[in-house]
């Protein structure tokens, strides 16, 4: 079973690990290896902490938990621009799943639970 909960500041390192490892896995062979190698969890976590502490931040963050802690992260909030004919609901800004969990039914199920009304 996968649980989804609000992200806490204590989750920043784990979320940064998911983000960096995810980018490195997804971009292998697409972006220069030197760029991928320069990405660090520490740098990403520092950026996350700065962003997290911004006053008036309107986005929300959720993490997916299961046998891993956490294994996925989603950031969403109000739509940043209007779309003609679209009902103003919101926007997913980022969604990352640990590369170790990609393709597992539990990871897919957690995000279906996140995005279903």
């Amino acid at each position: 079973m996968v649980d989804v909960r609000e992200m806490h500041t204590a989750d920043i390192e784990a979320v940064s690990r998911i983000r960096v490892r995810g980018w490195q896995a997804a971009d292998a062979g697409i972006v220069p290896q030197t760029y991928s190698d320069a990405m660090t969890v520490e740098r990403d976590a520092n950026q996350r902490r700065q962003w997290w502490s911004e006053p008036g931040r309107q986005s929300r963050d959720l993490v997916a938990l299961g046998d891993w802690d956490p294994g996925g992260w989603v950031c969403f909030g109000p739509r940043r621009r209007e779309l003609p004919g679209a009902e103003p609901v919101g926007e997913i800004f980022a969604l990352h799943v640990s590369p170790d969990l990609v393709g597992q039914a539990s990871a897919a199920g957690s995000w279906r639970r996140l995005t279903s009304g």
Side-chain angles (χ1 to χ4, degrees):
M1 176 164 177
V2 177
D3 291 314
V4 177
R5 67 159 169 79
E6 291 280 342
M7 181 178 159
H8 306 296
T9 55
D11 297 318
I12 289 176
E13 289 285 333
V15 166
S16 289
R17 192 172 307 104
I18 291 166
R19 287 172 42 83
V20 169
R21 289 183 57 224
W23 279 108
Q24 289 170 332
D27 290 346
I30 298 171
V31 299
Q33 190 63 42
T34 53
Y35 180 83
S36 184
D37 290 345
M39 296 176 74
T40 67
V41 171
E42 181 180 329
R43 183 179 303 135
D44 189 82
N46 287 337
Q47 290 172 343
R48 297 278 114 223
R49 282 187 197 91
Q50 289 176 0
W51 171 79
W52 187 269
S53 63
E54 285 182 13
R57 184 172 67 93
Q58 294 185 3
S59 61
R60 291 182 58 196
D61 299 85
L62 303 176
V63 292
L65 309 166
D67 295 335
W68 11 263
D69 192 31
W73 165 74
V74 63
C75 176
F76 63 98
R79 186 179 294 153
R80 292 177 282 192
R81 64 184 173 95
E82 291 302 315
L83 299 174
E87 192 174 321
V89 176
E91 181 177 347
I92 293 176
F93 304 131
L95 187 149
H96 292 263
V97 175
S98 174
D100 301 335
L101 301 173
V102 171
Q104 292 187 21
S106 59
S110 68
W111 298 120
R112 273 195 296 278
R113 283 179 47 202
L114 260 177
T115 57
S116 65

